[in-house]
Amino acid sequence: MAPGRVVEWRLRSTAGAQAPGPDGAADRRASFNQDKHFTVAEESRAADDPTASWIAVTFEVAGPLDEDALSLSLLAFVRRHEVLRCEFRRLAGELACAPIPATELALDTVPVAEFDRTDELTGFLVERFKRSIDTLAWPLFTMGAVLREESATVYLAFDHIVCDGMSMPIVVQEVQSAYEALRRGEHLDPAPAPSYLDFAEEQRGRYLSIDADDERLGYWKEFMARGDGEFFPRFPLELGVRPGQMYSIVNEASPLLDAAEAEVFEKACLAVDGKPFMGVLAAVAVCLREAGGPGVYRGFMPVSERGRAGWANSVGWFVNTMPIEFDASPGRDFEQVMASVRAGFGEMIDHIDVPFVRAWELLAPREFAARSWPYPVNFFSYIDMRKCPGAERHEDWRPTSHVWSAQANGACSWFQRDTDGLHMNSIYSDTPAARRTMDGFLEALRETVREIARHGSFRRPIALTPPRRPTPRTPLDVAAFARRG
């Protein structure tokens, strides 16, 4: 990010402190995801061992920034999404959301600092996001911009409790579109977006009363039975982490395929009746197996729940995490492994309705009481950013996602397709063993997906060894949405 003058827009309520209704009647109930996230923050604060994370997005505005227009655009965005106006608090043991009325919100423009060097600006923003976003205090996000004579970079960073990764392109599309409309002299549509709080109410109404014997937990129970009774599927490679210990993180974004290679890779997947994400997952499974992991892949996979009831363009935490299992044993070719991935994914989707946090609470209560997952967990996520809202303007806006976490006890990887190709972002524990393992895994996976693109098969045996020379990486910044400038 080029340096410049930093300005922030800080949210406040014009009505002052909100008084709860009788017995909290005016409040809304948080979702299962939000309740668990808030509980961990409370317990961490009490133990003086804070666990923090943020999800941020930046995007570019060409020409001198119209600060008044951006201010109005940001305010309209916050007013439109009820979850961003919520204060969270405990009422009779439950986590309640108290939305501040949209008409009682205001933004103050605050000059912050000016930077001449990129490294100083980057360091400032990282610290700013960490210090300004607090799960236990409203507002749960920060908004600002880096201004220059002929351009500006706008940034918004959020606590996970109010958004997910798929919310980021919605943020960009809404704020940019409103800004451009205001610059043309148009009026903004004040209609609110379908509320995540309604989604949370519906979800809790359906699943709060279930118990561990509910038949809807059958898929989870069968998955656990095939994994020695464990709720969490283990990451099968050595990371050098000790039980019960958390570590500082390595946060890396790495290219796997360029745009042309990704197109050919997609065709190779379609040729065996699969989708690109299935091809990536098949490649991941084979690489883990070749490194000493099991022939049967077992992992967690986040799945968006936005498709129901018109929440496609709403900000919130619309993610369910589900277990997936399929056969990637030695001797199976690409088409056979893809068929297994397809069958495993179909079985998972057939049982997608039970919320992950509720299944966790009922089926693994001892682990649920902890503040983190108990050991390194196998985790796979894939998003095609070309299909997100506003994707047709991504080359102009150049939006980029940024993900940060204070600590980890394992490894998580996110795979993202954009107009530049296919990328892998990983956050993992900073240990010598984890660095060796993840370097080797990245190199083996890159070679595997390229082999699929070239030959439509795994073709050659995969050697999971660290690269002799470091591969190019972008720390912190995940080139998620668009072509990099």
Side-chain angles (χ1 to χ4, degrees):
M1 187 185 299
R5 179 170 58 92
V6 177
V7 175
E8 291 193 341
W9 286 267
R10 298 179 183 171
L11 198 64
R12 61 181 170 85
S13 169
T14 59
Q18 299 293 302
D23 300 321
D27 292 330
R28 312 284 298 279
R29 292 183 298 177
S31 70
F32 293 114
N33 281 341
Q34 289 175 322
D35 199 333
K36 178 60 176 174
H37 184 81
F38 193 88
T39 300
V40 168
E42 288 178 313
E43 294 172 350
S44 299
R45 182 72 56 84
D48 196 27
D49 181 25
T51 58
S53 62
W54 46 256
I55 305 171
V57 68
T58 61
F59 54 89
E60 303 300 312
V61 176
L65 184 71
D66 185 331
E67 295 184 40
D68 290 339
L70 182 60
S71 179
L72 290 172
S73 174
L74 293 170
L75 183 58
F77 164 70
V78 176
R79 286 174 170 173
R80 176 171 158 77
H81 297 278
E82 189 177 28
V83 70
L84 300 179
R85 300 186 270 109
C86 280
E87 297 179 280
F88 293 87
R89 57 192 176 207
R90 289 285 175 197
L91 290 176
E94 285 198 339
L95 182 63
C97 310
I100 297 171
T103 55
E104 294 178 3
L105 288 178
L107 279 182
D108 295 323
T109 304
V110 181
V112 176
E114 188 158 357
F115 296 91
D116 298 322
R117 292 171 44 188
T118 292
D119 59 341
E120 291 178 347
L121 171 63
T122 301
F124 166 79
L125 290 177
V126 170
E127 287 301 314
R128 175 73 182 126
F129 295 168
K130 286 194 288 187
R131 295 178 183 278
S132 66
I133 299 172
D134 179 359
T135 303
L136 306 182
W138 183 87
L140 291 149
F141 53 96
T142 188
M143 303 179 288
V146 183
L147 280 61
R148 311 171 199 96
E149 288 187 6
E150 295 301 328
S151 69
T153 302
V154 180
Y155 61 81
L156 296 94
F158 303 82
D159 189 282
H160 203 342
I161 201 169
V162 295
C163 72
D164 55 19
M166 289 297 292
S167 296
M168 296 301 99
I170 295 170
V171 173
V172 176
Q173 193 273 335
E174 286 201 10
V175 174
Q176 279 276 35
S177 296
Y179 174 79
E180 293 174 356
L182 289 167
R183 293 277 290 164
R184 293 191 298 267
E186 300 172 9
H187 295 289
L188 301 182
D189 181 2
S195 176
Y196 177 73
L197 274 63
D198 293 334
F199 170 88
E201 287 280 359
E202 177 189 316
Q203 187 185 67
R204 292 181 70 89
R206 289 162 56 197
Y207 297 105
L208 187 61
S209 62
I210 69 173
D211 57 29
D213 296 324
D214 195 288
E215 62 181 12
R216 288 171 288 184
L217 292 169
Y219 176 75
W220 276 98
K221 291 178 180 178
E222 292 171 5
F223 180 83
M224 293 173 64
R226 293 189 296 269
D228 299 324
E230 292 183 332
F231 183 83
F232 292 91
R234 292 178 181 264
F235 184 74
L237 307 185
E238 179 57 45
L239 296 175
V241 298
R242 297 177 180 177
Q245 185 171 337
M246 302 295 286
Y247 298 80
S248 58
I249 66 162
V250 178
N251 188 345
E252 295 176 334
S254 307
L256 294 176
L257 299 173
D258 63 26
E261 290 171 326
E263 288 293 331
V264 179
F265 178 85
E266 180 173 355
K267 292 178 181 178
C269 295
L270 295 174
V272 294
D273 198 24
K275 296 182 179 180
F277 83 87
M278 295 179 181
V280 177
L281 183 51
V284 167
V286 169
C287 288
L288 293 177
R289 183 203 72 205
E290 291 293 314
V296 174
Y297 178 92
R298 292 169 52 82
F300 277 167
M301 185 172 181
V303 181
S304 174
E305 298 183 292
R306 295 174 177 275
R308 299 186 292 107
W311 283 298
N313 294 306
S314 296
V315 170
W317 195 345
F318 294 94
V319 175
N320 198 10
T321 301
M322 292 293 294
I324 185 170
E325 185 177 37
F326 59 88
D327 189 356
S329 54
R332 296 174 69 85
D333 62 21
F334 178 59
E335 184 172 2
Q336 290 170 321
V337 176
M338 283 287 276
S340 294
V341 175
R342 188 168 59 249
F345 181 75
E347 181 72 9
M348 182 191 77
I349 292 298
D350 286 344
H351 300 89
I352 193 64
D353 56 337
V354 178
F356 165 72
V357 171
R358 192 72 179 120
W360 181 8
E361 182 179 14
L362 292 170
L363 300 180
R366 180 177 298 181
E367 288 87 349
F368 187 78
R371 297 200 300 270
S372 64
W373 290 359
Y375 43 74
V377 173
N378 202 15
F379 179 90
F380 173 92
S381 174
Y382 180 100
I383 300 175
D384 189 337
M385 292 297 177
R386 303 170 306 162
K387 299 179 181 179
C388 294
E392 69 280 359
R393 296 292 308 280
H394 283 177
E395 189 163 344
D396 298 328
W397 298 338
R398 303 205 307 278
T400 305
S401 68
H402 310 256
V403 181
W404 179 84
S405 180
Q407 51 189 358
N409 66 347
C412 286
S413 295
W414 296 265
F415 298 89
Q416 294 167 323
R417 175 87 180 273
D418 61 23
T419 55
D420 268 355
L422 177 68
H423 317 273
M424 182 177 82
N425 177 231
S426 294
I427 288 179
Y428 57 90
S429 301
D430 189 4
T431 67
R435 284 182 176 270
R436 288 193 299 271
T437 293
M438 296 305 290
D439 278 350
F441 175 70
L442 168 65
E443 208 56 23
L445 182 61
R446 181 184 285 118
E447 180 61 25
T448 302
V449 294
R450 285 178 177 171
E451 284 293 307
I452 293 170
R454 293 172 186 144
H455 307 291
S457 68
F458 299 129
R459 201 166 175 85
R460 294 183 296 187
I462 301 150
L464 192 70
T465 56
R468 293 183 179 180
R469 289 182 292 180
T471 53
R473 298 208 175 102
T474 306
L476 291 175
D477 299 355
V478 185
F481 302 151
R483 184 164 300 170
R484 291 190 279 278

